[in-house]
PDB file of all heavy atoms in Angstrom:
ATOM      1  N   SER A1225      33.451   6.096  92.110  1.00  0.00           N
ATOM      2  CA  SER A1225      33.512   5.272  90.908  1.00  0.00           C
ATOM      3  C   SER A1225      32.143   4.664  90.592  1.00  0.00           C
ATOM      4  O   SER A1225      31.725   4.640  89.453  1.00  0.00           O
ATOM      5  CB  SER A1225      34.572   4.192  91.096  1.00  0.00           C
ATOM      6  OG  SER A1225      34.604   3.361  89.948  1.00  0.00           O
ATOM      7  N   ASP A1226      31.408   4.191  91.549  1.00  0.00           N
ATOM      8  CA  ASP A1226      30.089   3.607  91.353  1.00  0.00           C
ATOM      9  C   ASP A1226      29.137   4.670  90.824  1.00  0.00           C
ATOM     10  O   ASP A1226      28.293   4.422  89.953  1.00  0.00           O
ATOM     11  CB  ASP A1226      29.562   3.031  92.680  1.00  0.00           C
ATOM     12  CG  ASP A1226      30.317   1.784  93.114  1.00  0.00           C
ATOM     13  OD1 ASP A1226      31.003   1.214  92.214  1.00  0.00           O
ATOM     14  OD2 ASP A1226      30.207   1.375  94.250  1.00  0.00           O
ATOM     15  N   TYR A1227      29.283   5.878  91.328  1.00  0.00           N
ATOM     16  CA  TYR A1227      28.423   6.966  90.917  1.00  0.00           C
ATOM     17  C   TYR A1227      28.628   7.281  89.429  1.00  0.00           C
ATOM     18  O   TYR A1227      27.668   7.503  88.675  1.00  0.00           O
ATOM     19  CB  TYR A1227      28.741   8.195  91.770  1.00  0.00           C
ATOM     20  CG  TYR A1227      27.971   9.451  91.379  1.00  0.00           C
ATOM     21  CD1 TYR A1227      26.623   9.589  91.744  1.00  0.00           C
ATOM     22  CD2 TYR A1227      28.584  10.448  90.620  1.00  0.00           C
ATOM     23  CE1 TYR A1227      25.923  10.726  91.362  1.00  0.00           C
ATOM     24  CE2 TYR A1227      27.876  11.570  90.244  1.00  0.00           C
ATOM     25  CZ  TYR A1227      26.546  11.716  90.602  1.00  0.00           C
ATOM     26  OH  TYR A1227      25.850  12.833  90.232  1.00  0.00           O
ATOM     27  N   GLU A1228      29.877   7.298  89.061  1.00  0.00           N
ATOM     28  CA  GLU A1228      30.195   7.595  87.634  1.00  0.00           C
ATOM     29  C   GLU A1228      29.623   6.517  86.721  1.00  0.00           C
ATOM     30  O   GLU A1228      29.138   6.807  85.618  1.00  0.00           O
ATOM     31  CB  GLU A1228      31.700   7.721  87.461  1.00  0.00           C
ATOM     32  CG  GLU A1228      32.278   8.972  88.135  1.00  0.00           C
ATOM     33  CD  GLU A1228      33.785   9.020  88.036  1.00  0.00           C
ATOM     34  OE1 GLU A1228      34.375   8.008  87.547  1.00  0.00           O
ATOM     35  OE2 GLU A1228      34.381  10.036  88.391  1.00  0.00           O
ATOM     36  N   ILE A1229      29.724   5.270  87.168  1.00  0.00           N
ATOM     37  CA  ILE A1229      29.175   4.166  86.346  1.00  0.00           C
ATOM     38  C   ILE A1229      27.694   4.349  86.170  1.00  0.00           C
ATOM     39  O   ILE A1229      27.146   4.218  85.055  1.00  0.00           O
ATOM     40  CB  ILE A1229      29.503   2.812  86.997  1.00  0.00           C
ATOM     41  CG1 ILE A1229      31.002   2.534  86.912  1.00  0.00           C
ATOM     42  CG2 ILE A1229      28.720   1.689  86.320  1.00  0.00           C
ATOM     43  CD1 ILE A1229      31.454   1.350  87.725  1.00  0.00           C
ATOM     44  N   ILE A1230      27.008   4.660  87.262  1.00  0.00           N
ATOM     45  CA  ILE A1230      25.545   4.803  87.206  1.00  0.00           C
ATOM     46  C   ILE A1230      25.160   5.988  86.306  1.00  0.00           C
ATOM     47  O   ILE A1230      24.271   5.909  85.451  1.00  0.00           O
ATOM     48  CB  ILE A1230      24.977   5.001  88.630  1.00  0.00           C
ATOM     49  CG1 ILE A1230      25.150   3.699  89.422  1.00  0.00           C
ATOM     50  CG2 ILE A1230      23.493   5.365  88.580  1.00  0.00           C
ATOM     51  CD1 ILE A1230      24.851   3.854  90.889  1.00  0.00           C
ATOM     52  N   GLN A1231      25.883   7.094  86.485  1.00  0.00           N
ATOM     53  CA  GLN A1231      25.575   8.282  85.698  1.00  0.00           C
ATOM     54  C   GLN A1231      25.874   8.072  84.184  1.00  0.00           C
ATOM     55  O   GLN A1231      25.112   8.510  83.311  1.00  0.00           O
ATOM     56  CB  GLN A1231      26.386   9.486  86.202  1.00  0.00           C
ATOM     57  CG  GLN A1231      25.971   9.960  87.603  1.00  0.00           C
ATOM     58  CD  GLN A1231      24.498  10.300  87.669  1.00  0.00           C
ATOM     59  OE1 GLN A1231      23.948  11.000  86.820  1.00  0.00           O
ATOM     60  NE2 GLN A1231      23.821   9.796  88.704  1.00  0.00           N
ATOM     61  N   ALA A1232      26.978   7.370  83.933  1.00  0.00           N
ATOM     62  CA  ALA A1232      27.319   7.077  82.523  1.00  0.00           C
ATOM     63  C   ALA A1232      26.255   6.214  81.884  1.00  0.00           C
ATOM     64  O   ALA A1232      25.839   6.411  80.727  1.00  0.00           O
ATOM     65  CB  ALA A1232      28.685   6.442  82.441  1.00  0.00           C
ATOM     66  N   TYR A1233      25.798   5.234  82.652  1.00  0.00           N
ATOM     67  CA  TYR A1233      24.757   4.335  82.121  1.00  0.00           C
ATOM     68  C   TYR A1233      23.475   5.103  81.843  1.00  0.00           C
ATOM     69  O   TYR A1233      22.862   4.942  80.776  1.00  0.00           O
ATOM     70  CB  TYR A1233      24.504   3.200  83.121  1.00  0.00           C
ATOM     71  CG  TYR A1233      23.364   2.293  82.692  1.00  0.00           C
ATOM     72  CD1 TYR A1233      23.544   1.313  81.727  1.00  0.00           C
ATOM     73  CD2 TYR A1233      22.087   2.465  83.244  1.00  0.00           C
ATOM     74  CE1 TYR A1233      22.484   0.511  81.329  1.00  0.00           C
ATOM     75  CE2 TYR A1233      21.029   1.677  82.837  1.00  0.00           C
ATOM     76  CZ  TYR A1233      21.233   0.696  81.876  1.00  0.00           C
ATOM     77  OH  TYR A1233      20.189  -0.104  81.472  1.00  0.00           O
ATOM     78  N   LYS A1234      23.127   5.970  82.871  1.00  0.00           N
ATOM     79  CA  LYS A1234      21.884   6.729  82.687  1.00  0.00           C
ATOM     80  C   LYS A1234      21.971   7.632  81.444  1.00  0.00           C
ATOM     81  O   LYS A1234      21.002   7.765  80.674  1.00  0.00           O
ATOM     82  CB  LYS A1234      21.616   7.584  83.920  1.00  0.00           C
ATOM     83  CG  LYS A1234      21.129   6.792  85.124  1.00  0.00           C
ATOM     84  CD  LYS A1234      20.861   7.741  86.284  1.00  0.00           C
ATOM     85  CE  LYS A1234      20.282   6.991  87.498  1.00  0.00           C
ATOM     86  NZ  LYS A1234      19.985   7.907  88.619  1.00  0.00           N
ATOM     87  N   SER A1235      23.143   8.264  81.263  1.00  0.00           N
ATOM     88  CA  SER A1235      23.331   9.158  80.113  1.00  0.00           C
ATOM     89  C   SER A1235      23.197   8.403  78.802  1.00  0.00           C
ATOM     90  O   SER A1235      22.520   8.852  77.871  1.00  0.00           O
ATOM     91  CB  SER A1235      24.678   9.858  80.238  1.00  0.00           C
ATOM     92  OG  SER A1235      24.923  10.661  79.102  1.00  0.00           O
ATOM     93  N   ARG A1236      23.878   7.273  78.703  1.00  0.00           N
ATOM     94  CA  ARG A1236      23.840   6.498  77.451  1.00  0.00           C
ATOM     95  C   ARG A1236      22.450   5.938  77.239  1.00  0.00           C
ATOM     96  O   ARG A1236      21.963   5.860  76.102  1.00  0.00           O
ATOM     97  CB  ARG A1236      24.879   5.408  77.506  1.00  0.00           C
ATOM     98  CG  ARG A1236      26.313   5.943  77.400  1.00  0.00           C
ATOM     99  CD  ARG A1236      27.324   4.844  77.408  1.00  0.00           C
ATOM    100  NE  ARG A1236      27.145   3.962  76.284  1.00  0.00           N
ATOM    101  CZ  ARG A1236      27.836   2.844  76.091  1.00  0.00           C
ATOM    102  NH1 ARG A1236      28.781   2.487  76.996  1.00  0.00           N
ATOM    103  NH2 ARG A1236      27.612   2.075  75.058  1.00  0.00           N
ATOM    104  N   HIS A1237      21.804   5.526  78.354  1.00  0.00           N
ATOM    105  CA  HIS A1237      20.447   4.980  78.239  1.00  0.00           C
ATOM    106  C   HIS A1237      19.484   6.041  77.718  1.00  0.00           C
ATOM    107  O   HIS A1237      18.664   5.786  76.813  1.00  0.00           O
ATOM    108  CB  HIS A1237      19.999   4.485  79.655  1.00  0.00           C
ATOM    109  CG  HIS A1237      18.665   3.842  79.658  1.00  0.00           C
ATOM    110  ND1 HIS A1237      17.458   4.525  79.647  1.00  0.00           N
ATOM    111  CD2 HIS A1237      18.296   2.505  79.633  1.00  0.00           C
ATOM    112  CE1 HIS A1237      16.432   3.697  79.645  1.00  0.00           C
ATOM    113  NE2 HIS A1237      16.946   2.431  79.649  1.00  0.00           N
TER     114      HIS A1237
END
Side-chain angles (χ1 to χ4, degrees):
S1225 178
D1226 290 344
Y1227 176 78
E1228 290 176 354
I1229 290 171
I1230 292 170
Q1231 292 304 313
Y1233 175 79
K1234 286 182 177 181
S1235 176
R1236 289 182 62 186
H1237 184 280

